Amino acid sequence: MPKILITGALGQIGSELTFALVERYGENNVIATDIRQPLNDEYKHFEQLDVLDAESFKKILKKHSIDTVYHLAAMLSGVAEKFPVRAWDLNTKTLLTVLNFAKDGLIKNIFWPSSIAVYGRGAEKEGTPQSAIKNPESMYGIAKLAGERFCEYYYKKFNINVRSIRYPGLISWKTQPGGGTTDYAVDIFYQALENQKYNCFLNENTALPMLYMDDAIRGTIELMETPSEKLSVHSSYNFSGLSFTPKELAEEIKKRIPAFEIEYLPDFRQSIADSWPNWIDDSVAQKDWGWKPEFDLPKMTDIMLQQLKLKLGKI
Ligand code: NAD
Ligand code: AKB
C-alpha cells in the first residue's frame, strides 16, 4: 500500500481525489493537507500545510512516513494572471521542492498535474498532438510548461518516479473551481438552477477541452498504478474526454431547463481561452496505459444537474 500525502486537498480536485484514494488504499494511508482548514470533519487525517514552507512540508512527510505525494496545490489560470509572480513561485518552486524530496530519498513517487494551458498559438487547435509546439501565453501555462520540463529532467537525471497528466477543464459538483478559464462550465450549472440565466465570460463559440471529474480521478489513479515500463512520456500526458463551446453546453442545459438563457460578456479570460486547443489528441495515453473516458456531454449534464439540485436543496 502506498502511504500518500495530498497537497491542496480542499480544492476542486483534491476534495474528490482524497476520498477516491481513501477508498482504494484505506483511510490510514491517505493524509490530506491544505493551507486552509477544512470546514467539516470529513477528512480523517488532515494537516494544515503551506507548501511554500519546505521545512514544515518535510516534517509532515517524516511524521507520517509518506512515500507518495499528489502535489495539487497551485494557482489557476485566471487568478495567476492577477498575481503572476506569486503564481510562478507557488506553481513551480514547490514542485521543485517535492522533486528534491524524492531525489533526497524522502519519498518515492509523485503525481503532479499539468494542463492543456501548456499549449499556445501555433499548436494545432484541433486534435493537438502530444508533441505539438508549446508556446504558452499565460503565466499559468508558462509555469506548467516549466513544471513539465522539471519532471522529465528529474526522471532522466535522477530516475525519479514522477507522473503527470495535462488535465483539461474539469467539471464537478462537489467543490467549486478555484479561478480558472474553464470555470464557466461549472458556474453555468449553478446559475441555471438558481436564476435560469447565465452571463458567460467566454464567447459562444469558444471550444475547449473538458472532462467530468469522475473520469479525471479514475484516469489519475490508473496512471499511478501503471507499471513504469509501459510509460513512454515523462513530461506530461495529453488527456482528453469532452470538447464543447458555451453555446453547445447552454443548449444541452436548455433541453432540461427550457427557461434557461445565456448572455456572452467575454472578459480577460477570452484571450487565454483563444490561445488554448479546441480538443487534444490523447492517443499516447490510450496506447500506454489504456486511458478511456466514460462521460459524454449529455451524461455529464444529467449528473451535474441532478447532483446540484440535491446540493442546493432544489429537490
Ligand atoms: P483549486 O484552486 O480548486 O485548489 C487548490 C488548493 O490549493 C486550494 O484548496 C488552496 O487552498 C490550496 N493552496 C493554495 N495555496 C496553497 C499553499 N501555499 N499551500 C498549500 N495549499 C495551497 O485547484 P484544483 O482545480 O483542485 O487544481 C489542482 C491542480 O490541478 C492544480 O495544479 C491545477 O493547476 C491542476 N489542474 C486543474 C484543472 C481543473 O480544471 N480543475 C485543470 C488542469 C490542471
Ligand atoms: C484553468 O482554466 O485554469 C484550468 C486548466 C484547464 O488548467 N481549469
Side-chain angles (χ1 to χ4, degrees):
M1 283 291 175
K3 192 81 198 279
I4 296 169
L5 179 140
I6 305 172
T7 71
L10 302 184
Q12 189 194 6
I13 301 174
S15 64
E16 303 212 30
L17 181 60
T18 301
F19 300 98
L21 294 171
V22 162
E23 201 176 312
R24 190 143 187 91
Y25 304 118
E27 62 184 3
N28 292 330
N29 290 317
V30 181
I31 312 297
T33 70
D34 201 286
I35 196 168
R36 302 177 277 146
Q37 281 287 354
L39 294 174
N40 56 41
D41 57 5
E42 71 176 331
Y43 293 82
K44 168 115 192 278
H45 298 288
F46 183 88
E47 299 266 7
Q48 194 161 14
L49 169 66
D50 177 351
V51 289
L52 289 161
D53 177 354
E55 278 313 303
S56 301
F57 201 160
K58 193 190 276 188
K59 273 191 200 141
I60 293 174
L61 292 175
K62 283 187 178 163
K63 176 178 162 192
H64 296 282
S65 307
I66 298 297
D67 58 37
T68 302
V69 171
Y70 285 69
H71 183 36
L72 305 183
M75 207 183 276
L76 277 88
S77 58
V79 189
E81 281 313 285
K82 293 184 177 152
F83 307 103
V85 177
R86 277 167 54 195
W88 173 262
D89 287 350
L90 178 59
N91 294 7
T92 61
K93 290 187 180 167
T94 66
L95 172 60
L96 275 179
T97 300
V98 175
L99 287 163
N100 282 320
F101 287 151
K103 177 173 162 275
D104 295 343
L106 195 58
I107 57 171
K108 289 198 176 78
N109 315 300
I110 301 166
F111 174 77
W112 171 79
S114 184
S115 163
I116 52 143
V118 293
Y119 295 111
R121 277 169 254 255
E124 297 89 325
K125 270 189 100 64
E126 306 289 336
T128 316
Q130 177 75 39
S131 58
I133 188 164
K134 290 164 194 78
N135 282 329
E137 293 176 15
S138 62
M139 177 51 89
Y140 177 71
I142 292 167
K144 287 294 186 194
L145 183 55
E148 289 192 6
R149 303 320 307 148
F150 299 162
C151 290
E152 187 160 329
Y153 178 83
Y154 275 73
Y155 166 76
K156 285 191 171 152
K157 195 145 178 148
F158 307 113
N159 199 24
I160 301 303
N161 181 27
V162 51
R163 301 181 182 194
S164 176
I165 284 174
R166 289 180 187 133
Y167 287 136
L170 299 183
I171 296 160
S172 66
W173 54 268
K174 187 177 176 193
T175 302
Q176 298 251 20
T181 302
T182 57
D183 290 18
Y184 91 84
V186 176
D187 299 344
I188 193 171
F189 286 101
Y190 284 86
Q191 295 305 320
L193 287 168
E194 297 279 23
N195 307 314
Q196 288 85 53
K197 185 164 178 15
Y198 184 58
N199 290 333
C200 185
F201 59 76
L202 297 183
N203 75 36
E204 60 185 333
N205 294 319
T206 311
L208 287 171
M210 300 279 185
L211 191 68
Y212 185 59
M213 185 63 84
D214 289 21
D215 272 340
I217 285 176
R218 181 176 51 78
T220 302
I221 295 175
E222 285 171 6
L223 171 65
M224 289 304 278
E225 291 187 346
T226 299
S228 50
E229 59 275 15
K230 293 198 169 178
L231 302 180
S232 64
V233 172
H234 299 284
S235 51
S236 189
Y237 277 96
N238 274 12
F239 188 64
S240 192
L242 306 167
S243 167
F244 53 78
T245 64
K247 188 172 176 211
E248 286 161 348
L249 180 55
E251 279 163 6
E252 207 59 41
I253 292 173
K254 217 170 156 56
K255 285 182 199 161
R256 293 154 179 84
I257 305 176
F260 177 64
E261 280 176 19
I262 184 162
E263 244 189 85
Y264 301 96
L265 303 166
D267 68 12
F268 71 98
R269 287 165 283 194
Q270 184 64 50
S271 154
I272 299 177
D274 285 342
S275 73
W276 287 357
N278 294 355
W279 64 278
I280 63 172
D281 175 276
D282 64 0
S283 50
V284 183
Q286 292 176 33
K287 180 171 160 285
D288 283 9
W289 44 281
W291 163 240
K292 193 170 187 291
E294 284 174 2
F295 285 80
D296 60 14
L297 181 56
K299 188 170 167 187
M300 180 204 79
T301 307
D302 282 337
I303 196 156
M304 283 296 288
L305 288 173
Q306 187 193 335
Q307 292 295 342
L308 284 176
K309 271 185 203 161
L310 282 169
K311 183 176 170 183
L312 300 171
K314 302 274 178 198
I315 39 177

